[in-house]
Structure formats: structure tokens, C-alpha cells
Amino acid sequence: MANPPAHLIPSRAAKRANYEPETINSILDEALYCTISYSADNKPYAIPTAFVRYGNRIYVHGSVGSHLMRELEKGIPVCITVALMDELVVAKSAFHHSVNYRSVVIFAQAEKIESVADKTEAFKWLTEKIVPGSWDYLRPITDREVLKTTALAFKIDEASAKLRTGMPVDDDNDLELPIWSGLIPLQTKRLTPIPDKLSEGLPLPTHLAAI
């Protein structure tokens, strides 16, 4: 994006902004949850929810009775945010402590998906993102279940990423202080699945054993 609109330019550390679709998409594909912020009835809302990116859109779902879904399907403006924390940045002073992160901000309006076939496809994309390899293993979703669920899509046309990497940046006068500084890596990973009582005698499916 050669000349991003003003609302996509960070007010601080603008040099960390990135508008390349490859960067934005890689962050969206790694994150499992986003936060959707909007205003309704003169009140602010910020709701975390699972999502999936497919092409130039992200998809979310919820009950047809959900306040969030009913508000968003009106096409009101929303701000969608995603953040991945990679490392704690430990400096020689509390002032320069920081975090290495990757984040995305999207401004968009919802498009309601009406077709049962298209909704089912969106649910498949989301299921495969959250638990890869599970869609074909599970009991097939029914049309009744699809009709009880709202699916919304948001274009990623107005989006920006912001990233921080690297070591702490201390004041020159602090560089020789005998105080440890560096990075503390953070990691989110899938651990060994834990069965419920009904599954204790069942073998772990291949797609879960690969986690």
C-alpha cells in the first residue's frame, strides 16, 4: 500500500508499520483469535472471537441470536485487531522494557453469508484452522446446525500490520551498567490432548496425535 490512509498509520513508531499483504496474512493465519470492536447504542464493545482468513477476507461465526452477530450483520463499521506476542524485551531500565510482537488492524464492515453451502465452507475453513485435519473425522454438520449459525465475512482491504523485533534499546548512559538485558522468548503451542470420560478408551486420532 503505497499511500495508506491516515487511520492506518500508527501515531507512534510508524516505521514499524507494514502494509504488505504477505505480512498481514501470515499474522492472521497464525493467530487463533481476533478482537472485534464496534459501537452500538452509544456503548463501546470489544469482543474476542475465533476467526479464519481465506483469500482476501476473514470469517467469523456465532449463534443467530448473538448480540454481536446481530449488530455486525447490519454492516456497521468495525475495527478488528490481532496481536501475537513473541518475546519480552528486558532492558536495563523499566522505561525501556518492551515486547517484540506482530499485530494487525483491520477496518471493515461485515458481509453476511446467506447460502448454506457457502456458510458450511466457511465453517470448514475455521474448523480446519482451529483443529487441523478434523473436519472429515467429525460427524458431518447438518443444514439445521448451519441455519442456526450466522457467518460473517470482512474484507482485508483496509489493513496494516505493526511489528517490533530485536534487542532492547537502552540509553547510552546505561549501556555499561552491570544489569542483565536481553529477550525472554514466549511460545504458544499445542500440548498433548486430554480425553474426556467418553473418549478414554478410544485411540487418539491421527490428526490429533500429530499436534
Side-chain angles (χ1 to χ4, degrees):
M1 190 179 297
N3 296 296
H7 59 277
L8 289 181
I9 301 175
S11 59
R12 294 193 69 252
K15 64 182 180 181
R16 295 179 185 167
N18 186 302
Y19 306 98
E20 296 300 323
E22 295 81 4
T23 300
I24 292 169
N25 290 345
S26 69
I27 297 170
L28 295 176
D29 292 347
E30 184 175 341
L32 296 178
Y33 292 88
C34 67
T35 298
I36 302 179
S37 301
Y38 62 99
S39 176
D41 302 322
N42 293 318
K43 295 180 180 179
Y45 294 86
I47 310 297
T49 186
F51 78 99
V52 64
R53 179 192 70 86
Y54 193 87
N56 191 43
R57 287 173 169 79
I58 68 171
Y59 297 82
V60 303
H61 79 296
S63 166
V64 294
S66 160
H67 177 270
L68 171 67
M69 295 293 111
R70 287 188 282 110
E71 287 297 327
L72 298 186
E73 68 183 30
K74 297 175 184 177
I76 62 175
V78 302
C79 178
I80 302 171
T81 56
V82 167
L84 299 172
M85 302 294 111
D86 295 320
E87 294 160 323
L88 300 178
V89 180
V90 180
K92 295 181 183 299
S93 68
F95 182 79
H96 287 297
H97 273 36
S98 187
V99 176
N100 283 339
Y101 65 91
R102 291 164 289 149
S103 64
V104 169
V105 174
I106 302 170
F107 294 94
Q109 294 82 39
E111 304 169 13
K112 186 176 181 181
I113 303 174
E114 302 287 0
S115 159
V116 170
D118 290 343
K119 288 170 68 175
T120 301
E121 195 72 4
F123 298 154
K124 177 180 179 179
W125 297 332
L126 180 58
T127 301
E128 284 294 298
K129 178 182 182 181
I130 301 300
V131 186
S134 64
W135 182 261
D136 292 333
Y137 172 80
L138 300 170
R139 185 265 290 163
I141 193 171
T142 67
D143 287 353
R144 185 165 181 260
E145 289 172 327
V146 174
L147 291 173
K148 292 171 66 175
T149 309
T150 298
L152 303 176
F154 300 86
K155 288 184 178 179
I156 315 175
D157 290 344
E158 290 189 55
S160 65
K162 192 177 180 185
L163 308 88
R164 188 201 190 279
T165 60
M167 290 291 180
V169 180
D170 280 298
D171 293 336
D172 289 343
N173 292 339
D174 293 339
L175 295 179
E176 300 304 321
L177 292 176
I179 297 173
W180 190 94
S181 54
L183 303 177
I184 300 176
L186 301 174
Q187 187 178 40
T188 298
K189 64 179 182 179
R190 300 169 190 252
L191 303 177
T192 303
I194 302 171
D196 63 16
K197 289 186 177 180
L198 296 175
S199 299
E200 287 178 350
L202 297 177
L204 192 64
T206 303
H207 67 279
L208 295 181
I211 290 179

